[in-house]
Amino acid sequence: MKTLEQKKLTFSICRKISQIPPEVWNKLSDPAIFGFNRSFLQALEDSSLYEEDPYYLIFHTNGKDLAGLAVAYTLTMDFSHFDRDHPESVYKVLNQWYPGIMQIKVLECGFLTALGKGFHRSGGEPHTFMTNLTRALEELALDNGADIILVRDVPESAAEQMREMKKRGFLPLRGYPLAVLDLHWGSFEEYYDTLKPGRRKEFRKKLRKLDTYGMEVRLLTRWDHYIPQLLEQWNEVESRSDYHHEKLTAPYFARLQDTPGTDSFILGLFEKEKLLGFSLIHETPEELFCSYVGLDYEYSQSRNSYFILNLKILEEGFRRGKERINLGITSYDFKQLMGCRLIPQTYYVKSWRDPETTRGIQKYLEDSIPRTITSHSSFKEVAYPGTDLEKEASSPSPEPSRPDPFERLYSFSRSHILKFLNLYTFFPEFESAQTPEVFYKGRRILMMGSNSYRGLAARKEVRDAAREAISRYGTGCSGSPLLNGTLDIHQKLAGALAEYTGKEDALLYSTGYQANLGALSTLAKPGVVVLMDERCHASLIDGVLLSRARLIRYKHTDMASLEKKLREHRGSSLLIVTDSLFSMEGTTVPLKKLVSLKEEYHARLMIDESHAIGVIGPRGAGLAAREGLSERIDVLMGTFSKSLAAQGGFIASDNSLIATLKHESRGHIFSASLAPPLIGAVSKALEIIGREEEQRLILIQNTAYMADSLASLGYEVTRSEGAIIPLYCRDELLTFALYRKLFDRGVFVNPVVSPAVPKGSELLRITLMATHTRQEIDKALQVFREVKTDNFPQNEKEKNER
Ligand code: PMP
């Protein structure tokens, strides 16, 4: 016997129904609450369907007065069944990499193979009972190593009681509603008469199949002979449904018929001696409850087996004088055709493995429960309405939404499933500089996800330059460049960047993001049409949004698509914006064609060279410089956070445009100028890049070598002109799983998912630095070789089949 501190409530645990004292059972087993009698539960227990014996929790106040009863059991759920976002092959790979990763142990308060609330309070204070029930479930979860606690089938009327659970971090979700038909009518015939004529005709036509095929429905109280067929037909239904909760077994069917008093029977649809389908039904004084249906799908369509079986349950309900028939969960559309109403059920869930991920689990489970949005009216009079399914579908979530501006933020759950599965990857904390090898929790990791392409962020000369700048100018400028914040070194760097990019002048911003935001919000204005590549960097999009100009996207690097849009908007004030080398895919824009289109259509053109600078073209001056097109491009943009080894950004253009930006660009004026050490570092990095051309060539060669080697291992990679190798996983979960696998083996690369890339284009972004050695690259390749599984990377044939 366990004593809980809370208000002297105690609970004892029975693992067998036979251990529950009869007086307790008699007092607490109202079929209206649990829906099941002792014999049924006994049969269930004896059929070994439970992975382990269930827990019957009996609560007493002060050690003597009965306070309530609860039933809980553990089951292992395959999480992948709830998730339709990923193909089967992804789960295969995940299971190979991390055996058992999708097997989730659930402590469930409820019944197996049955529906109904899993707890009942018989007296005393609700608050105390619920608090203690919650604690008891948590204790059981702890003892059993459960990952999730799920309280199932709580009727809406019990919502108030559930407050205590919510306080302990349980969250409600809309569960499967129960489809119930109240038998308002005196007989089946009366029911039939109230149906709309069209519906009646349809029903009659379906029922006529009984005669056409010489079928009949038989009521079975013994079914030894049919057990293999019952199982087979149930499995057919189960495998097609969304609900993969229970695996019925032969002993289950055997025990149900052999245990006296289970009040269960089967309606079987027969064609001669062949069983075509069945309904397993449990009887209580008030209702017939159909827990399982099995169908032989070969015949079900032509014979209307499902329809016939359900109508026969209804007939049987009338014959036995029941108040209602309960057709359980799923196939709501059909059940509503019969006139069923849906009784909402709420589940409460808590992630026990990591309570902070509860919201994600809640959402995951809720999303796995399909919502029916059709609405049928079956009766002539609205006095017998089926529940309006549309209303049910659109009814608010169990938790009414409060007008809280932060609601969305507190509901953020996107990362929860990954955290729950231990695949969360973001914000790893490194303990060293961006060098080919970095430290993570004291471990050496090959860094293949840095944008310090030229490897200068850790170079001594660059560090020294930053230090020297601090010695002379201090750590910060403490003001806007327009006022006190401009130093001679800012001006010198701007001049060097203008010369480097082949433009007349340049302007510095605190980050690359801010450069795009600050420039575009000034360059474009309402009335301007901005044509932008669909994969452009977020900062470019945000800049246009801030400008309130009209934003139109064209297909990625597709000049025909661009021209189409230009033609459509000919005569407007046009600005074309694109990255030169795309950050995630590593693709480059066909610049010559782009420039000629810009000129033909009298548009302006802005190019973001963030990933090209330091990597592409002579002296790494970017794609525009390599193509000799700098002068014909109106605005060039670059960042200091990649090859230039520090932080900040710049815009390069002609004198007049820069002069206007200097005075009007809010991102420039209303933000303090870049700190001296950054200017020192960038100036030095620029100087080094300008003189060390061979390092750039090594980087290009190494990138090509690595991309080709990965391709020969079977990975889907594309060659880039820059230092970026996209390795396509084409699935979010797979991307994170591969990331994790590589990281665990000492290789860091970047997982890239939506919105950085479109869904279906998820990838690992591998980037090299000029300072990586062949030896390091080979070491990483060896890891890529080792983590290959039978299912990933897919071979060409399988890929084409997807
Ligand atoms: N443009 C592009 C194409 C980028 O990839 C990035 C950075 N990822 C930026 C702009 C923003 O640069 P920063 O990191 O310096 O803010």
Side-chain angles (χ1 to χ4, degrees):
M1 182 152 325
K2 298 198 176 202
T3 306
L4 294 169
E5 291 156 5
Q6 201 84 16
K7 304 258 173 87
K8 292 189 223 79
L9 212 72
T10 57
F11 73 95
S12 48
I13 295 178
C14 300
R15 300 298 299 267
K16 301 279 178 202
I17 187 100
S18 57
Q19 292 167 353
I20 303 176
E23 67 277 11
V24 171
W25 178 257
N26 291 338
K27 202 163 166 207
L28 297 179
S29 66
D30 181 350
I33 303 157
F34 291 131
F36 289 90
N37 67 27
R38 190 181 172 119
S39 303
F40 171 82
L41 293 179
Q42 185 68 58
L44 177 59
E45 203 179 276
D46 295 344
S47 65
S48 312
L49 227 52
Y50 286 115
E51 286 171 17
E52 285 173 36
D53 284 330
Y55 295 90
Y56 302 96
L57 303 170
I58 304 164
F59 293 85
H60 284 94
T61 318
N62 302 322
K64 53 183 192 338
D65 301 328
L66 254 183
L69 179 72
V71 184
Y73 62 99
T74 56
L75 81 159
T76 309
M77 222 163 62
D78 189 333
F79 219 54
S80 44
H81 281 154
F82 289 91
D83 186 1
R84 275 156 285 182
D85 282 352
H86 310 281
E88 198 55 36
S89 57
V90 167
Y91 296 117
K92 281 193 192 152
V93 178
L94 256 68
N95 280 323
Q96 270 177 294
W97 280 338
Y98 311 97
I101 185 171
M102 289 286 155
Q103 301 302 303
I104 308 295
K105 193 157 188 182
V106 184
L107 178 83
E108 185 161 314
C109 177
F111 298 94
L112 197 65
T113 81
L115 299 166
K117 197 161 65 131
F119 62 88
H120 175 59
R121 179 178 64 87
S122 67
E125 218 226 317
H127 163 83
T128 312
F129 175 72
M130 290 309 294
T131 309
N132 285 283
L133 171 63
T134 312
R135 295 274 164 88
L137 292 174
E138 290 185 347
E139 269 191 47
L140 287 180
L142 192 65
D143 290 349
N144 282 281
D147 302 301
I148 287 175
I149 308 175
L150 183 67
V151 182
R152 239 179 52 187
D153 293 313
V154 179
E156 283 200 330
S157 55
E160 180 56 27
Q161 283 181 50
M162 303 305 287
R163 252 200 357 237
E164 297 310 318
M165 272 199 184
K166 286 205 224 162
K167 277 193 205 153
R168 293 282 305 170
F170 282 75
L171 288 175
L173 64 112
R174 269 188 305 184
Y176 284 93
L178 297 178
V180 164
L181 183 57
D182 297 302
L183 307 187
H184 307 275
W185 309 269
S187 67
F188 182 75
E189 288 68 32
E190 265 185 49
Y191 158 81
Y192 210 69
D193 281 346
T194 54
L195 289 173
K196 281 182 175 167
R199 189 77 72 228
R200 209 163 45 215
K201 204 165 137 204
E202 180 192 334
F203 280 21
R204 197 174 300 124
K205 193 171 141 209
K206 287 181 173 166
L207 278 175
R208 230 179 275 133
K209 296 268 173 84
L210 281 166
D211 290 338
T212 316
Y213 290 97
M215 297 185 291
E216 62 171 334
V217 176
R218 288 183 212 152
L219 191 149
L220 310 176
T221 51
R222 294 206 61 83
W223 43 79
D224 316 65
H225 180 58
Y226 300 111
I227 288 178
Q229 276 152 285
L230 296 173
L231 270 180
E232 200 178 306
Q233 294 181 1
W234 150 249
N235 284 334
E236 281 202 44
V237 172
E238 198 259 3
S239 64
R240 290 183 192 209
S241 89
D242 299 307
Y243 188 67
H244 299 271
H245 203 86
E246 289 137 19
K247 297 269 173 245
L248 301 185
T249 58
Y252 176 70
F253 285 103
R255 290 292 175 179
L256 270 188
Q257 69 165 4
D258 292 339
T259 309
T262 58
D263 294 341
S264 303
F265 62 91
I266 280 178
L267 290 181
L269 178 65
F270 287 86
E271 189 168 318
K272 304 208 174 62
E273 280 319 299
K274 185 169 172 44
L275 181 69
L276 302 184
F278 74 91
S279 301
L280 174 59
I281 293 160
H282 312 282
E283 181 173 10
T284 71
E286 290 83 22
E287 71 175 25
L288 293 185
F289 163 55
C290 170
S291 63
Y292 294 105
V293 169
L295 294 172
D296 184 333
Y297 275 107
E298 209 184 311
Y299 297 89
S300 61
Q301 193 86 27
S302 58
R303 307 312 198 254
N304 289 125
S305 317
Y306 189 56
F307 171 85
I308 292 172
L309 281 166
N310 278 296
L311 228 57
K312 291 293 166 181
I313 299 171
L314 182 55
E315 255 183 51
E316 197 57 33
F318 281 115
R319 196 168 9 257
R320 293 178 185 225
K322 299 296 167 192
E323 287 174 18
R324 61 184 170 269
I325 57 164
N326 180 344
L327 296 181
I329 63 172
T330 72
S331 307
Y332 297 113
D333 188 47
F334 168 78
K335 287 169 187 170
Q336 217 225 353
L337 268 179
M338 288 177 65
C340 285
R341 65 191 169 97
L342 298 187
I343 305 179
Q345 303 292 313
T346 308
Y347 302 170
Y348 285 76
V349 72
K350 178 170 179 172
S351 164
W352 187 246
R353 191 192 277 186
D354 177 359
E356 290 196 355
T357 62
T358 297
R359 197 167 280 281
I361 300 293
Q362 171 217 31
K363 198 170 169 323
Y364 208 65
L365 291 176
E366 192 163 66
D367 288 351
S368 77
I369 298 175
R371 300 276 144 222
T372 324
I373 46 157
T374 49
S375 180
H376 302 290
S377 61
S378 297
F379 301 106
K380 282 188 280 195
E381 295 168 40
V382 261
Y384 309 119
T387 299
D388 182 344
L389 290 198
E390 264 178 61
K391 206 168 128 213
E392 133 72 15
S394 60
S395 75
S397 216
E399 199 166 14
S401 55
R402 280 166 274 120
D404 176 355
F406 290 171
E407 174 71 19
R408 188 185 62 79
L409 305 167
Y410 287 115
S411 305
F412 176 79
S413 64
R414 185 163 172 199
S415 56
H416 289 184
I417 294 299
L418 292 169
K419 282 186 180 152
F420 185 79
L421 296 176
N422 204 15
L423 289 178
Y424 182 79
T425 64
F426 294 122
F427 307 104
E429 290 173 26
F430 293 110
E431 294 140 5
S432 56
Q434 301 283 312
T435 43
E437 216 173 41
V438 295
F439 280 93
Y440 175 80
K441 294 191 174 159
R443 262 172 64 214
R444 284 171 193 279
I445 304 277
L446 276 172
M447 170 50 77
M448 297 197 159
S450 175
N451 293 320
S452 177
Y453 299 126
R454 298 294 294 265
L456 297 177
R459 181 127 149 202
K460 184 172 180 308
E461 280 168 274
V462 178
R463 294 184 203 226
D464 287 346
R467 227 176 272 123
E468 279 161 28
I470 290 182
S471 309
R472 173 145 179 208
Y473 299 96
T475 52
C477 288
S478 314
S480 160
L482 184 74
L483 304 169
N484 62 309
T486 297
L487 298 172
D488 52 356
I489 49 173
H490 286 115
Q491 285 310 93
K492 231 163 120 182
L493 177 60
L497 287 165
E499 187 278 323
Y500 183 60
T501 53
K503 303 303 288 181
E504 288 174 6
D505 199 0
L507 187 65
L508 311 186
Y509 287 83
S510 308
T511 67
Y513 181 88
Q514 204 166 313
N516 279 335
L517 213 64
L520 274 167
S521 59
T522 314
L523 295 172
K525 284 289 160 215
V528 173
V529 174
V530 180
L531 301 166
M532 186 181 282
D533 187 291
E534 65 187 355
R535 303 279 171 84
C536 269
H537 190 260
S539 55
L540 295 168
I541 301 168
D542 294 354
V544 178
L545 292 180
L546 195 58
S547 77
R548 285 175 288 130
R550 182 161 174 210
L551 177 61
I552 292 173
R553 317 293 294 271
Y554 60 87
K555 290 207 183 97
H556 182 49
T557 64
D558 183 338
M559 293 300 104
S561 167
L562 170 62
E563 184 163 18
K564 188 162 167 274
K565 310 273 178 197
L566 282 167
R567 221 180 294 123
E568 278 167 26
H569 296 279
R570 196 198 285 273
S572 299
S573 182
L574 298 169
L575 168 61
I576 305 168
V577 178
T578 181
D579 296 24
S580 62
L581 173 64
F582 284 82
S583 56
M584 300 299 149
E585 300 82 354
T587 35
T588 33
V589 75
L591 203 57
K592 279 199 178 74
K593 177 73 185 162
L594 179 62
V595 169
S596 78
L597 280 176
K598 156 215 143 74
E599 287 169 355
E600 186 183 337
Y601 287 88
H602 306 289
R604 294 287 189 174
L605 176 60
M606 171 171 170
I607 305 270
D608 179 334
E609 294 257 45
S610 292
H611 295 273
I613 284 178
V615 183
I616 289 185
R619 296 194 299 152
L623 192 69
R626 187 187 76 184
E627 304 291 314
L629 292 168
S630 304
E631 278 182 24
R632 290 163 68 190
I633 295 167
D634 302 286
V635 182
L636 290 172
M637 176 271 169
T639 173
F640 303 154
S641 67
K642 306 187 194 305
S643 290
L644 290 169
Q647 201 168 11
F650 70 94
I651 296 289
S653 186
D654 58 52
N655 286 326
S656 308
L657 197 128
I658 294 294
T660 310
L661 284 180
K662 251 184 179 171
H663 293 89
E664 276 197 9
S665 177
R666 295 161 75 89
H668 181 70
I669 306 164
F670 293 107
S671 186
S673 57
L674 281 160
L678 297 172
I679 301 299
V682 174
S683 306
K684 182 53 78 180
L686 191 62
E687 181 197 315
I688 295 170
I689 288 172
R691 67 167 192 253
E692 288 187 354
E693 188 65 356
E694 71 285 5
Q695 288 299 108
R696 187 177 72 80
L697 299 175
I698 288 172
L699 174 63
I700 299 293
Q701 280 161 12
N702 280 349
T703 308
Y705 169 72
M706 180 141 190
D708 289 349
S709 306
L710 286 168
S712 68
L713 288 176
Y715 290 99
E716 183 190 347
V717 292
T718 46
R719 283 279 291 266
S720 158
E721 292 187 78
I724 299 162
I725 306 170
L727 186 156
Y728 287 93
C729 299
R730 304 206 174 278
D731 179 89
E732 185 169 311
L733 206 53
L734 187 61
T735 304
F736 288 116
L738 178 55
Y739 161 92
R740 199 41 225 283
K741 199 77 193 154
L742 296 168
F743 197 30
D744 287 348
R745 287 166 179 252
V747 178
F748 177 87
V749 296
N750 282 302
V752 182
V753 298
S754 158
V757 288
K759 277 197 185 308
S761 297
E762 292 83 357
L763 54 91
L764 288 181
R765 179 179 183 270
I766 305 164
T767 46
L768 292 185
M769 294 184 256
T771 40
H772 276 112
T773 61
R774 274 292 164 105
Q775 215 178 8
E776 284 161 340
I777 294 169
D778 285 337
K779 202 164 139 192
L781 284 168
Q782 180 55 25
V783 173
F784 276 98
R785 192 173 292 119
E786 282 165 16
V787 302
K788 267 169 60 112
T789 74
D790 303 344
N791 292 292
F792 184 81
Q794 287 175 312
N795 63 38
E796 284 306 313
K797 186 172 159 285
E798 280 167 325
K799 223 185 293 170
N800 295 336
E801 280 164 7
R802 269 182 71 172

